[in-house]
Amino acid sequence: MTVFDDLVGQEHAAAVLQRAAAAGAEAIAGGRGAGMTHAWLFTGPPGSGRSEAAQAFAAALLCPDQGCGHCDMCHQVSVGSHPDVETVRPQGLSYSVKQTRELVLRASGAPTLGRWRVMLFEDADRATEAAANALLKAIEEPPPRTVWLLCAPSPDDMVITIRSRCRVVTLRTPSTAAIAHMLATRDDVPAEMAEFAARATQGHVERARRLALDEEVRRRREAVLSLPRSLTGVGECVDAAERLVKTSSEDAQDATSHLNDAETSELRKIYGEGSTGKGLNKGLVRGGAGAMKELEDRQKSRATRIKRDSLDVALLDLVAFYRDVLAVQFGAQVELSSDDRRADLAALARSSSPEDTLRRIDAIMLCRERLAANVNPQIAVEAMTISLWRPRL
């Protein structure tokens, strides 16, 4: 079993990466490190496994057997402890030029154990324009043993100057059968539940795993898909919007509270709060207040991103529901992600026209655009729920 066997439904991309890893090993053996492609761009829809593919490639580049999956090198990469692999995960809404410059500086070092120093940049599309320019310089003139692995939804999400200097690896949406097989064999999920989770999440591997294994995730999806049936008046629309926004806020709070406390406590220790002895005081030493303020800003940005991501998942579930309504209205013989709500789909399909369904889908997509533009979530979602209730207003 190799590191590429974990890539669900990505056989073509895995074959490309395996050949590239072998070519990289040959280049090093022949003293031709400069002949290796030093910048790669992994693209694909959410849930397709961009980061997993990049990590597998990193392991293959460092492994003596190009990604055997069981040696120390492969294990260290998989658990995130390999000193020659740095994984960057933007925590907030964007990645700043200051952070990028620090990253570029770290990337200039030589590898310590393996053949290459690998910089794996998840969500590289979150880099600001200034950060992208700083990153471009590093990609244009990389050290001979440094390889950049960038991840983004599509090539168009990266500035063209970076895109043109990268070799693009395109991942596809995994099939329902491939995800269901993965859940059944790796996570021991019963076949019926695996099929349901794979179908409901439309090819998103990680969401499928959460849906199959977490009852709370299934409960939240049920609440979202019950929303269309509850929209019977303006008051109900406002209440539904409030519930959606509140749930996303709770998700963000649950995801960040423990992490925030640990980060704050660690920073206070670093700056000497509570220490005793000559020259020390019980508060933060000089410079600590500024660092604490910077940490609080990062934590707020992270919470905002998680809240937005949680709300976006709910909106995408709604889009999938109305897409299924449209399929029923046209009698299309396609797989329905909301097949478990056949009665609701049929009722809405009978009581509305395909034009109404398309207007509802447009309303949801407009809400997503407004949220991305930092419109107040409550206002944006209220406008959406009213449009779902009365699409012709």
Side-chain angles (χ1 to χ4, degrees):
M1 180 176 179
T2 73
V3 292
F4 297 108
D5 292 336
D6 287 335
L7 303 183
V8 181
Q10 309 296 346
E11 291 78 11
H12 175 71
V16 170
L17 296 173
Q18 282 180 315
R19 290 194 297 269
E26 291 177 4
I28 289 292
R32 296 177 289 104
M36 171 70 176
T37 300
H38 285 262
W40 297 73
L41 177 58
F42 292 78
T43 67
S48 59
R50 297 185 301 263
S51 299
E52 290 78 4
Q55 185 182 68
F57 186 43
L61 289 173
L62 297 170
C63 171
D65 296 316
Q66 288 82 62
C68 65
H70 51 76
C71 69
D72 287 342
M73 288 285 189
C74 290
H75 176 70
Q76 289 175 5
V77 175
S78 68
V79 300
S81 63
H82 198 291
D84 292 327
V85 179
E86 178 162 356
T87 300
V88 181
R89 298 182 178 92
Q91 296 291 310
L93 297 174
S94 62
Y95 199 74
S96 71
V97 64
K98 177 183 177 182
Q99 293 171 307
T100 304
R101 286 171 178 162
E102 293 172 351
L103 177 64
V104 169
L105 183 61
R106 296 196 299 273
S108 63
T112 56
L113 295 179
R115 306 183 183 101
W116 308 97
R117 180 157 178 75
V118 181
M119 311 303 291
L120 199 170
F121 195 162
E122 298 181 2
D123 298 324
D125 53 303
R126 289 185 176 173
T128 63
E129 183 178 356
N133 290 333
L135 183 61
L136 173 62
K137 184 67 174 177
I139 290 176
E140 283 181 324
E141 301 174 5
R145 293 293 184 90
T146 296
V147 179
W148 287 88
L149 309 181
L150 311 180
C151 303
S154 76
D156 291 339
D157 290 314
M158 301 300 298
V159 296
I160 190 170
T161 48
I162 289 181
R163 187 170 73 233
S164 64
R165 287 164 175 79
C166 295
R167 181 172 177 182
V168 178
V169 178
T170 303
L171 306 181
R172 63 183 184 180
T173 300
S175 67
T176 296
I179 295 179
H181 178 74
M182 179 272 294
L183 292 173
T185 56
R186 298 183 198 171
D187 298 301
D188 294 325
V189 175
E192 185 175 350
M193 175 60 74
E195 177 75 18
F196 158 74
R199 184 180 62 251
T201 52
Q202 307 170 79
H204 195 298
V205 177
E206 189 53 38
R207 283 190 62 204
R209 180 179 281 113
R210 291 199 301 269
L211 189 64
L213 300 176
D214 193 332
E215 176 64 32
E216 179 63 18
V217 174
R218 294 195 291 274
R219 185 194 66 77
R220 289 177 179 176
R221 174 181 179 271
E222 178 72 16
V224 170
L225 297 188
S226 297
L227 182 143
R229 186 177 55 191
S230 71
L231 302 178
T232 57
V234 174
E236 288 76 10
C237 291
V238 173
D239 289 343
E242 184 178 3
R243 288 196 303 272
L244 274 180
V245 174
K246 182 179 179 181
T247 299
S248 65
S249 297
E250 291 173 349
D251 286 347
Q253 178 66 24
D254 292 343
T256 59
S257 58
H258 179 72
L259 184 58
N260 288 352
D261 290 344
E263 290 174 341
T264 301
S265 176
E266 183 64 24
L267 187 63
R268 289 183 179 278
K269 288 180 181 178
I270 290 173
Y271 279 93
E273 184 179 75
S275 300
T276 59
K278 187 177 181 180
L280 296 174
N281 56 48
K282 295 183 179 181
L284 290 178
V285 299
R286 181 175 299 175
M292 185 63 67
K293 178 64 169 60
E294 183 177 341
L295 175 62
E296 289 172 354
D297 290 342
R298 290 202 307 271
Q299 290 174 343
K300 289 178 181 177
S301 179
R302 180 172 60 203
T304 299
R305 179 184 62 80
I306 293 174
K307 177 179 178 180
R308 181 183 293 176
D309 289 349
S310 174
L311 189 52
D312 196 56
V313 168
L315 297 182
L316 289 175
D317 281 339
L318 282 175
V319 169
F321 176 84
Y322 283 110
R323 172 261 188 190
D324 288 350
V325 171
L326 194 64
V328 172
Q329 288 172 326
F330 282 111
Q333 299 302 308
V334 296
E335 183 178 77
L336 303 179
S337 65
S338 309
D339 191 60
D340 54 311
R341 304 193 67 85
R342 276 278 185 176
D344 287 352
L345 294 176
L348 195 53
R350 288 193 302 268
S351 64
S352 62
S353 67
E355 291 78 13
D356 290 336
T357 304
L358 288 172
R359 291 189 188 99
R360 287 176 167 127
I361 292 174
D362 287 342
I364 300 171
M365 300 307 290
L366 177 59
C367 181
R368 295 182 70 211
E369 291 177 10
R370 287 170 172 168
L371 291 172
N374 291 321
V375 172
N376 180 283
Q378 184 69 31
I379 294 174
V381 178
E382 282 179 7
M384 179 198 73
T385 53
I386 290 174
S387 293
L388 296 181
W389 170 49
R390 291 287 180 84
R392 301 186 191 186
L393 287 178

